[in-house]
């Protein structure tokens, strides 16, 4: 009888201990559930909704529609007209592209909330064009960009440097006038001058003169116009401007850069080699 009572007492103590542990676990689980629910409700209240936009596919978003409808900016404008909105959100891969057509909304992005939207995206086209973000214009905002910006402002864009290069700018302006005059007197062109091409090469001549201290890489032409090297250089620059930040697939899904589905990487490499 004594042994039976002792075993019964031990069993009761074990049951009480197990009950306490179960109650403690249940209490912890209930508290955790309440905290999780409150945080979830708080998150739902604080996170604002995104602007209206098309429903994309999982992972890739609206990239298939973007690749199917070229050029991309026309597809975006058409999409906004169909939705009848001045602001829309288009998900391309893991990136949400916010497009606005209203001047008031654009001022909100560029003036009031400029700190949030001032940085440049880290994408394939910018990385390839700047040789690994070595330029100030395309580098994402950060400590390195601030150091480069400080040097650019103090050394390159300073009033002293601007005054120092005044004569070179005047020489290029005089050369522009002479070239346009000779083109207008050319009987083969019948007095017609393509000012778009002239303006493009004037910008190229100015940049080469300020950076390399020479107008042409080669000898130029007899009428003081650009030669073959200068034409390739300017064409390459405008090709880069066309494709950088140009909605390339690899810009939004970096793991697709190897496949180069839309050919942007190949075109940029060819333009950079020019």
């Amino acid at each position: 009888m004594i042994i039976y009572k002792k075993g019964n007492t031990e069993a009761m103590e074990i049951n009480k201990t197990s009950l306490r542990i179960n109650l403690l676990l249940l209490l912890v689980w209930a508290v955790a559930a309440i905290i999780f629910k409150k945080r979830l409700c708080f998150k739902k209240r604080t996170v604002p909704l995104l602007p209206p936009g098309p429903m994309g596919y999982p992972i890739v978003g609206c990239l298939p529609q973007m690749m199917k409808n070229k050029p991309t900016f026309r597809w975006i404008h058409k999409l906004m007209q169909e939705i009848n909105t001045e602001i829309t959100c288009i998900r391309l891969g893991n990136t949400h592209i916010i497009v606005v057509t209203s001047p008031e909304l654009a001022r909100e992005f560029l003036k009031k909330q400029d700190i949030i939207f001032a940085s440049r995206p880290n994408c394939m086209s910018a990385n390839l064009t700047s040789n690994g973000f070595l330029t100030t214009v395309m580098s994402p905002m950060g400590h390195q960009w601030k150091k480069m910006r400080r040097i650019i402002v103090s050394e390159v864009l300073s009033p002293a440097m601007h005054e120092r290069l005044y004569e070179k700018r005047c020489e290029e302006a005089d050369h522009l006038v002479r070239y346009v005059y000779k083109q207008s007197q050319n009987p083969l062109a019948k007095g017609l001058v393509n000012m778009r091409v002239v303006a493009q090469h004037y910008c190229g001549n100015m940049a080469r003169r300020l950076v390399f201290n020479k107008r042409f890489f080669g000898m130029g032409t007899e009428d003081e116009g650009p030669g073959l090297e200068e034409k390739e250089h300017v064409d390459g620059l405008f090709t880069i401007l066309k494709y950088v930040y140009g909605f390339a697939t690899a810009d939004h899904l970096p793991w697709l850069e190897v496949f180069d589905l839309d050919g942007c990487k190949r075109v940029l490499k060819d333009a950079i080699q020019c």
Side-chain angles (χ1 to χ4, degrees):
M1 292 296 293
I2 297 175
I3 296 175
Y4 175 75
K5 288 183 178 180
K6 184 177 180 181
N8 192 13
T9 304
E10 290 178 353
M12 292 178 63
E13 290 179 354
I14 293 173
N15 291 334
K16 290 181 180 180
T17 305
S18 177
L19 181 61
R20 292 193 189 98
I21 294 174
N22 292 334
L23 290 175
L24 181 61
L25 292 176
L26 182 62
L27 180 62
V28 171
W29 180 84
V31 172
I34 294 173
I35 294 175
F36 178 77
K37 185 177 180 180
K38 287 186 177 180
R39 287 189 175 182
L40 187 62
C41 295
F42 180 75
K43 186 177 181 181
K44 288 182 178 179
R45 289 196 303 268
T46 55
V47 176
L49 297 176
L50 291 172
M55 293 293 295
Y57 298 98
I59 301 177
V60 296
C62 297
L63 281 176
Q65 295 94 313
M66 184 194 73
M67 296 179 64
K68 189 185 300 182
N69 299 276
K70 295 289 185 176
T72 304
F73 69 92
R74 295 191 185 278
W75 168 65
I76 293 176
H77 282 293
K78 182 179 179 181
L79 183 66
M80 296 182 70
Q81 290 177 357
E82 293 176 355
I83 302 177
N84 191 21
T85 180
E86 294 181 341
I87 180 172
T88 185
C89 176
I90 302 174
R91 186 172 67 87
L92 302 177
N94 296 326
T95 307
H96 289 88
I97 307 297
I98 308 297
V99 186
V100 296
T101 57
S102 170
E104 291 77 12
L105 293 176
R107 194 179 300 112
E108 184 78 18
F109 279 89
L110 301 176
K111 188 175 182 180
K112 295 182 180 179
Q113 306 293 339
D114 57 333
I115 297 178
I116 301 175
F117 299 97
S119 182
R120 273 71 54 193
N122 186 350
C123 60
M124 178 274 300
S125 57
N127 184 23
L128 192 63
T129 304
S130 60
N131 194 19
F133 298 108
L134 297 180
T135 61
T136 311
V137 178
M138 297 182 181
S139 298
M141 183 177 291
H143 184 64
Q144 180 67 18
W145 176 82
K146 290 181 179 179
K147 291 193 296 184
M148 292 191 294
R149 176 180 176 272
R150 191 180 303 114
I151 295 174
I152 291 293
V153 172
S154 60
E155 300 294 336
V156 180
L157 301 179
S158 62
M161 182 62 68
H162 183 75
E163 184 178 356
R164 179 181 175 185
L165 299 175
Y166 174 75
E167 294 183 1
K168 297 183 183 296
R169 296 196 301 273
C170 291
E171 291 177 4
E172 290 304 318
D174 294 339
H175 174 265
L176 172 66
V177 175
R178 289 196 305 270
Y179 177 69
V180 172
Y181 176 75
K182 290 183 179 180
Q183 289 293 310
S184 64
Q185 300 298 319
N186 188 353
L188 298 178
K190 298 181 181 180
L192 300 177
V193 181
N194 191 339
M195 294 304 299
R196 181 178 183 180
V197 176
V198 171
Q200 290 178 355
H201 284 284
Y202 169 71
C203 295
N205 295 345
M206 181 69 73
R208 287 188 294 270
R209 189 63 184 272
L210 297 180
V211 177
F212 304 110
N213 196 25
K214 57 182 179 180
R215 181 177 298 125
F216 300 136
F217 290 132
M219 299 299 296
T221 58
E222 295 181 357
D223 57 354
E224 300 186 40
L228 180 62
E229 297 87 348
E230 290 73 39
K231 291 180 179 179
E232 291 180 351
H233 181 228
V234 172
D235 291 342
L237 289 176
F238 278 92
T239 302
I240 292 173
L241 290 176
K242 179 181 178 180
Y243 283 92
V244 68
Y245 301 127
F247 296 101
T249 306
D251 288 346
H252 307 286
L253 291 177
W255 53 274
L256 290 177
E257 181 179 347
V258 181
F259 304 100
D260 194 19
L261 298 177
D262 44 13
C264 292
K265 185 177 181 180
R266 175 180 53 81
V267 174
L268 278 173
K269 282 187 175 181
D270 294 340
I272 292 171
Q273 290 177 358
C274 294

